[in-house]
PDB file of all heavy atoms in Angstrom:
ATOM      1  N   ARG A  59      69.921 150.082  40.014  1.00 98.00           N
ATOM      2  CA  ARG A  59      69.476 148.683  40.028  1.00 98.00           C
ATOM      3  C   ARG A  59      70.648 147.794  39.754  1.00 98.00           C
ATOM      4  O   ARG A  59      70.731 146.657  40.313  1.00 98.00           O
ATOM      5  CB  ARG A  59      68.471 148.648  38.851  1.00 98.00           C
ATOM      6  CG  ARG A  59      68.081 147.138  38.411  1.00 98.00           C
ATOM      7  CD  ARG A  59      67.031 146.972  37.456  1.00 98.00           C
ATOM      8  NE  ARG A  59      67.157 145.642  36.946  1.00 98.00           N
ATOM      9  CZ  ARG A  59      66.004 144.972  36.591  1.00 98.00           C
ATOM     10  NH1 ARG A  59      64.816 145.405  36.672  1.00 98.00           N
ATOM     11  NH2 ARG A  59      66.205 143.751  36.111  1.00 98.00           N
ATOM     12  N   TRP A  75      60.266 147.249  38.753  1.00 97.00           N
ATOM     13  CA  TRP A  75      59.934 146.363  39.947  1.00 97.00           C
ATOM     14  C   TRP A  75      60.995 146.441  41.168  1.00 97.00           C
ATOM     15  O   TRP A  75      60.688 146.155  42.220  1.00 97.00           O
ATOM     16  CB  TRP A  75      59.842 144.916  39.513  1.00 97.00           C
ATOM     17  CG  TRP A  75      61.021 144.122  39.322  1.00 97.00           C
ATOM     18  CD1 TRP A  75      61.801 143.996  38.327  1.00 97.00           C
ATOM     19  CD2 TRP A  75      61.668 143.203  40.311  1.00 97.00           C
ATOM     20  NE1 TRP A  75      62.869 143.220  38.487  1.00 97.00           N
ATOM     21  CE2 TRP A  75      62.744 142.637  39.691  1.00 97.00           C
ATOM     22  CE3 TRP A  75      61.379 142.833  41.655  1.00 97.00           C
ATOM     23  CZ2 TRP A  75      63.649 141.791  40.361  1.00 97.00           C
ATOM     24  CZ3 TRP A  75      62.270 141.943  42.302  1.00 97.00           C
ATOM     25  CH2 TRP A  75      63.399 141.426  41.670  1.00 97.00           C
ATOM     26  N   HIS A 117      52.249 142.920  39.451  1.00 97.00           N
ATOM     27  CA  HIS A 117      52.098 142.541  40.778  1.00 97.00           C
ATOM     28  C   HIS A 117      53.189 143.069  41.724  1.00 97.00           C
ATOM     29  O   HIS A 117      53.173 142.802  42.918  1.00 97.00           O
ATOM     30  CB  HIS A 117      52.132 141.025  40.806  1.00 97.00           C
ATOM     31  CG  HIS A 117      53.442 140.443  40.455  1.00 97.00           C
ATOM     32  ND1 HIS A 117      53.917 139.296  40.878  1.00 97.00           N
ATOM     33  CD2 HIS A 117      54.562 140.876  39.755  1.00 97.00           C
ATOM     34  CE1 HIS A 117      55.138 138.963  40.567  1.00 97.00           C
ATOM     35  NE2 HIS A 117      55.479 139.915  39.801  1.00 97.00           N
ATOM     36  N   ASP A 118      54.249 143.744  41.230  1.00 98.00           N
ATOM     37  CA  ASP A 118      55.387 143.936  42.033  1.00 98.00           C
ATOM     38  C   ASP A 118      55.348 144.948  43.070  1.00 98.00           C
ATOM     39  O   ASP A 118      56.205 145.390  43.761  1.00 98.00           O
ATOM     40  CB  ASP A 118      56.571 144.275  41.079  1.00 98.00           C
ATOM     41  CG  ASP A 118      57.085 143.070  40.340  1.00 98.00           C
ATOM     42  OD1 ASP A 118      57.218 141.971  40.982  1.00 98.00           O
ATOM     43  OD2 ASP A 118      57.248 143.176  39.060  1.00 98.00           O
ATOM     44  N   PHE A 121      56.740 144.218  46.572  1.00 97.00           N
ATOM     45  CA  PHE A 121      58.208 144.473  46.546  1.00 97.00           C
ATOM     46  C   PHE A 121      58.578 145.869  46.724  1.00 97.00           C
ATOM     47  O   PHE A 121      59.354 146.318  47.524  1.00 97.00           O
ATOM     48  CB  PHE A 121      58.973 143.946  45.290  1.00 97.00           C
ATOM     49  CG  PHE A 121      59.159 142.506  45.084  1.00 97.00           C
ATOM     50  CD1 PHE A 121      58.544 141.719  44.176  1.00 97.00           C
ATOM     51  CD2 PHE A 121      60.185 141.877  45.887  1.00 97.00           C
ATOM     52  CE1 PHE A 121      58.872 140.398  43.930  1.00 97.00           C
ATOM     53  CE2 PHE A 121      60.533 140.639  45.729  1.00 97.00           C
ATOM     54  CZ  PHE A 121      59.856 139.932  44.710  1.00 97.00           C
ATOM     55  N   TRP A 164      51.636 139.405  35.669  1.00 98.00           N
ATOM     56  CA  TRP A 164      51.933 140.381  34.532  1.00 98.00           C
ATOM     57  C   TRP A 164      50.627 140.323  33.725  1.00 98.00           C
ATOM     58  O   TRP A 164      49.867 139.469  33.739  1.00 98.00           O
ATOM     59  CB  TRP A 164      53.080 139.738  33.661  1.00 98.00           C
ATOM     60  CG  TRP A 164      54.372 139.667  34.428  1.00 98.00           C
ATOM     61  CD1 TRP A 164      54.887 140.478  35.279  1.00 98.00           C
ATOM     62  CD2 TRP A 164      55.290 138.621  34.197  1.00 98.00           C
ATOM     63  NE1 TRP A 164      56.184 140.047  35.677  1.00 98.00           N
ATOM     64  CE2 TRP A 164      56.435 138.880  35.056  1.00 98.00           C
ATOM     65  CE3 TRP A 164      55.448 137.462  33.319  1.00 98.00           C
ATOM     66  CZ2 TRP A 164      57.584 138.082  35.064  1.00 98.00           C
ATOM     67  CZ3 TRP A 164      56.610 136.654  33.475  1.00 98.00           C
ATOM     68  CH2 TRP A 164      57.717 136.970  34.258  1.00 98.00           C
ATOM     69  N   ILE A 181      53.719 134.260  38.566  1.00 98.00           N
ATOM     70  CA  ILE A 181      55.120 133.744  38.845  1.00 98.00           C
ATOM     71  C   ILE A 181      55.229 133.402  40.176  1.00 98.00           C
ATOM     72  O   ILE A 181      54.584 134.080  41.140  1.00 98.00           O
ATOM     73  CB  ILE A 181      56.116 134.646  38.128  1.00 98.00           C
ATOM     74  CG1 ILE A 181      56.027 136.048  38.659  1.00 98.00           C
ATOM     75  CG2 ILE A 181      56.008 134.609  36.646  1.00 98.00           C
ATOM     76  CD1 ILE A 181      57.247 136.822  38.173  1.00 98.00           C
ATOM     77  N   ASP A 183      57.453 134.398  42.081  1.00 98.00           N
ATOM     78  CA  ASP A 183      58.021 135.620  42.861  1.00 98.00           C
ATOM     79  C   ASP A 183      56.878 136.249  43.499  1.00 98.00           C
ATOM     80  O   ASP A 183      57.007 137.017  44.392  1.00 98.00           O
ATOM     81  CB  ASP A 183      58.539 136.559  41.747  1.00 98.00           C
ATOM     82  CG  ASP A 183      59.363 135.916  40.647  1.00 98.00           C
ATOM     83  OD1 ASP A 183      59.134 134.820  40.333  1.00 98.00           O
ATOM     84  OD2 ASP A 183      60.262 136.637  40.095  1.00 98.00           O
ATOM     85  N   ASN A 184      55.621 136.115  42.999  1.00 98.00           N
ATOM     86  CA  ASN A 184      54.406 136.791  43.617  1.00 98.00           C
ATOM     87  C   ASN A 184      54.230 136.503  45.015  1.00 98.00           C
ATOM     88  O   ASN A 184      53.616 137.308  45.730  1.00 98.00           O
ATOM     89  CB  ASN A 184      53.258 136.355  42.687  1.00 98.00           C
ATOM     90  CG  ASN A 184      52.101 137.433  42.721  1.00 98.00           C
ATOM     91  OD1 ASN A 184      52.133 138.268  43.520  1.00 98.00           O
ATOM     92  ND2 ASN A 184      51.199 137.358  41.797  1.00 98.00           N
ATOM     93  N   HIS A 227      58.542 128.278  37.502  1.00 98.00           N
ATOM     94  CA  HIS A 227      58.573 129.740  37.578  1.00 98.00           C
ATOM     95  C   HIS A 227      57.266 130.424  37.266  1.00 98.00           C
ATOM     96  O   HIS A 227      56.708 131.162  38.076  1.00 98.00           O
ATOM     97  CB  HIS A 227      59.657 130.317  36.578  1.00 98.00           C
ATOM     98  CG  HIS A 227      59.891 131.728  36.698  1.00 98.00           C
ATOM     99  ND1 HIS A 227      60.490 132.410  35.719  1.00 98.00           N
ATOM    100  CD2 HIS A 227      59.370 132.661  37.515  1.00 98.00           C
ATOM    101  CE1 HIS A 227      60.564 133.767  36.028  1.00 98.00           C
ATOM    102  NE2 HIS A 227      59.883 133.894  37.201  1.00 98.00           N
ATOM    103  N   GLN A 245      62.733 133.051  33.329  1.00 98.00           N
ATOM    104  CA  GLN A 245      64.285 133.209  33.761  1.00 98.00           C
ATOM    105  C   GLN A 245      64.991 131.977  34.104  1.00 98.00           C
ATOM    106  O   GLN A 245      66.263 132.083  34.235  1.00 98.00           O
ATOM    107  CB  GLN A 245      64.268 134.230  34.792  1.00 98.00           C
ATOM    108  CG  GLN A 245      63.988 135.670  34.331  1.00 98.00           C
ATOM    109  CD  GLN A 245      63.541 136.591  35.588  1.00 98.00           C
ATOM    110  OE1 GLN A 245      62.289 136.616  35.785  1.00 98.00           O
ATOM    111  NE2 GLN A 245      64.476 137.281  36.119  1.00 98.00           N
ATOM    112  N   TRP A 253      65.013 127.156  38.568  1.00 98.00           N
ATOM    113  CA  TRP A 253      65.602 128.541  38.690  1.00 98.00           C
ATOM    114  C   TRP A 253      65.790 128.889  40.060  1.00 98.00           C
ATOM    115  O   TRP A 253      64.987 128.731  40.925  1.00 98.00           O
ATOM    116  CB  TRP A 253      64.614 129.459  38.005  1.00 98.00           C
ATOM    117  CG  TRP A 253      65.104 130.961  37.970  1.00 98.00           C
ATOM    118  CD1 TRP A 253      66.297 131.455  37.755  1.00 98.00           C
ATOM    119  CD2 TRP A 253      64.208 132.081  38.435  1.00 98.00           C
ATOM    120  NE1 TRP A 253      66.320 132.704  37.890  1.00 98.00           N
ATOM    121  CE2 TRP A 253      65.080 133.285  38.337  1.00 98.00           C
ATOM    122  CE3 TRP A 253      62.946 132.128  38.812  1.00 98.00           C
ATOM    123  CZ2 TRP A 253      64.656 134.494  38.613  1.00 98.00           C
ATOM    124  CZ3 TRP A 253      62.439 133.413  39.107  1.00 98.00           C
ATOM    125  CH2 TRP A 253      63.319 134.528  38.969  1.00 98.00           C
ATOM    126  N   ARG A 255      66.652 131.536  41.944  1.00 98.00           N
ATOM    127  CA  ARG A 255      66.015 132.660  42.643  1.00 98.00           C
ATOM    128  C   ARG A 255      64.565 132.326  42.801  1.00 98.00           C
ATOM    129  O   ARG A 255      63.992 132.697  43.853  1.00 98.00           O
ATOM    130  CB  ARG A 255      66.234 133.922  41.958  1.00 98.00           C
ATOM    131  CG  ARG A 255      65.882 135.136  42.766  1.00 98.00           C
ATOM    132  CD  ARG A 255      66.463 136.366  42.395  1.00 98.00           C
ATOM    133  NE  ARG A 255      65.990 136.903  41.075  1.00 98.00           N
ATOM    134  CZ  ARG A 255      66.910 136.973  39.995  1.00 98.00           C
ATOM    135  NH1 ARG A 255      68.148 136.654  40.101  1.00 98.00           N
ATOM    136  NH2 ARG A 255      66.355 137.354  38.874  1.00 98.00           N
ATOM    137  N   GLY A 256      63.867 131.615  41.910  1.00 98.00           N
ATOM    138  CA  GLY A 256      62.465 131.215  41.993  1.00 98.00           C
ATOM    139  C   GLY A 256      62.263 130.421  43.299  1.00 98.00           C
ATOM    140  O   GLY A 256      61.309 130.569  43.947  1.00 98.00           O
ATOM    141  N   TRP A 259      62.498 132.607  46.297  1.00 99.00           N
ATOM    142  CA  TRP A 259      61.224 133.392  46.402  1.00 99.00           C
ATOM    143  C   TRP A 259      60.173 132.543  47.147  1.00 99.00           C
ATOM    144  O   TRP A 259      59.376 133.003  47.952  1.00 99.00           O
ATOM    145  CB  TRP A 259      60.655 133.952  45.230  1.00 99.00           C
ATOM    146  CG  TRP A 259      61.440 134.945  44.386  1.00 99.00           C
ATOM    147  CD1 TRP A 259      61.534 135.085  42.977  1.00 99.00           C
ATOM    148  CD2 TRP A 259      62.047 136.214  44.755  1.00 99.00           C
ATOM    149  NE1 TRP A 259      62.219 136.106  42.614  1.00 99.00           N
ATOM    150  CE2 TRP A 259      62.675 136.912  43.772  1.00 99.00           C
ATOM    151  CE3 TRP A 259      62.333 136.592  46.069  1.00 99.00           C
ATOM    152  CZ2 TRP A 259      63.364 137.980  43.815  1.00 99.00           C
ATOM    153  CZ3 TRP A 259      62.983 137.825  46.140  1.00 99.00           C
ATOM    154  CH2 TRP A 259      63.588 138.606  45.021  1.00 99.00           C
ATOM    155  N   SER A 329      72.136 136.865  44.315  1.00 99.00           N
ATOM    156  CA  SER A 329      70.905 137.360  44.839  1.00 99.00           C
ATOM    157  C   SER A 329      70.000 136.173  45.527  1.00 99.00           C
ATOM    158  O   SER A 329      69.376 136.345  46.380  1.00 99.00           O
ATOM    159  CB  SER A 329      70.056 137.987  43.724  1.00 99.00           C
ATOM    160  OG  SER A 329      69.553 137.195  42.726  1.00 99.00           O
ATOM    161  N   LEU A 333      68.799 136.126  49.383  1.00 99.00           N
ATOM    162  CA  LEU A 333      67.350 136.107  49.834  1.00 99.00           C
ATOM    163  C   LEU A 333      67.024 134.795  50.566  1.00 99.00           C
ATOM    164  O   LEU A 333      66.240 134.689  51.447  1.00 99.00           O
ATOM    165  CB  LEU A 333      66.389 136.433  48.848  1.00 99.00           C
ATOM    166  CG  LEU A 333      66.139 135.271  47.731  1.00 99.00           C
ATOM    167  CD1 LEU A 333      64.824 134.619  47.952  1.00 99.00           C
ATOM    168  CD2 LEU A 333      65.917 135.990  46.364  1.00 99.00           C
ATOM    169  N   VAL A 385      72.935 136.953  38.969  1.00 98.00           N
ATOM    170  CA  VAL A 385      72.354 136.847  37.524  1.00 98.00           C
ATOM    171  C   VAL A 385      70.919 137.298  37.546  1.00 98.00           C
ATOM    172  O   VAL A 385      70.026 136.833  38.297  1.00 98.00           O
ATOM    173  CB  VAL A 385      72.443 135.449  37.145  1.00 98.00           C
ATOM    174  CG1 VAL A 385      71.761 135.173  35.814  1.00 98.00           C
ATOM    175  CG2 VAL A 385      73.779 134.879  37.128  1.00 98.00           C
ATOM    176  N   GLY A 386      70.645 138.307  36.690  1.00 98.00           N
ATOM    177  CA  GLY A 386      69.344 138.868  36.495  1.00 98.00           C
ATOM    178  C   GLY A 386      68.602 137.925  35.543  1.00 98.00           C
ATOM    179  O   GLY A 386      67.537 137.317  35.950  1.00 98.00           O
ATOM    180  N   HIS A 387      68.922 137.944  34.366  1.00 98.00           N
ATOM    181  CA  HIS A 387      68.182 137.118  33.332  1.00 98.00           C
ATOM    182  C   HIS A 387      69.148 136.599  32.315  1.00 98.00           C
ATOM    183  O   HIS A 387      69.461 137.224  31.248  1.00 98.00           O
ATOM    184  CB  HIS A 387      67.234 138.259  32.564  1.00 98.00           C
ATOM    185  CG  HIS A 387      66.108 137.608  31.844  1.00 98.00           C
ATOM    186  ND1 HIS A 387      66.134 136.384  31.314  1.00 98.00           N
ATOM    187  CD2 HIS A 387      64.823 138.070  31.646  1.00 98.00           C
ATOM    188  CE1 HIS A 387      64.949 136.144  30.654  1.00 98.00           C
ATOM    189  NE2 HIS A 387      64.149 137.170  30.917  1.00 98.00           N
ATOM    190  N   GLU A 393      72.398 141.231  32.865  1.00 98.00           N
ATOM    191  CA  GLU A 393      72.771 141.201  34.271  1.00 98.00           C
ATOM    192  C   GLU A 393      73.398 139.943  34.662  1.00 98.00           C
ATOM    193  O   GLU A 393      72.970 139.241  35.655  1.00 98.00           O
ATOM    194  CB  GLU A 393      71.599 141.597  35.150  1.00 98.00           C
ATOM    195  CG  GLU A 393      70.949 142.970  34.821  1.00 98.00           C
ATOM    196  CD  GLU A 393      69.576 143.226  35.482  1.00 98.00           C
ATOM    197  OE1 GLU A 393      68.871 142.116  35.810  1.00 98.00           O
ATOM    198  OE2 GLU A 393      69.298 144.406  35.716  1.00 98.00           O
ATOM    199  N   TYR A 400      68.721 144.093  44.586  1.00 99.00           N
ATOM    200  CA  TYR A 400      67.928 143.257  45.466  1.00 99.00           C
ATOM    201  C   TYR A 400      68.890 142.268  46.228  1.00 99.00           C
ATOM    202  O   TYR A 400      68.580 141.759  47.171  1.00 99.00           O
ATOM    203  CB  TYR A 400      66.721 142.648  44.881  1.00 99.00           C
ATOM    204  CG  TYR A 400      66.876 142.072  43.438  1.00 99.00           C
ATOM    205  CD1 TYR A 400      67.100 140.693  43.352  1.00 99.00           C
ATOM    206  CD2 TYR A 400      66.672 142.887  42.330  1.00 99.00           C
ATOM    207  CE1 TYR A 400      67.158 140.209  42.000  1.00 99.00           C
ATOM    208  CE2 TYR A 400      66.871 142.302  41.193  1.00 99.00           C
ATOM    209  CZ  TYR A 400      67.192 140.944  40.832  1.00 99.00           C
ATOM    210  OH  TYR A 400      67.209 140.422  39.670  1.00 99.00           O
TER     211      TYR A 400
HETATM  212  N1  LIG B   1      61.075 139.197  40.270  1.00 80.99           N
HETATM  213  C1  LIG B   1      61.893 139.203  39.127  1.00 80.99           C
HETATM  214  C2  LIG B   1      63.170 138.396  39.397  1.00 80.99           C
HETATM  215  O1  LIG B   1      63.368 137.722  40.345  1.00 80.99           O
HETATM  216  O2  LIG B   1      64.033 138.531  38.548  1.00 80.99           O
END
Side-chain angles (χ1 to χ4, degrees):
R59 170 172 165 145
W75 79 275
H117 69 152
D118 288 313
F121 277 115
W164 298 325
I181 55 173
D183 321 28
N184 206 340
H227 183 193
Q245 281 156 276
W253 175 47
R255 194 161 60 248
W259 293 141
S329 75
L333 78 96
V385 174
H387 200 327
E393 301 172 332
Y400 44 98

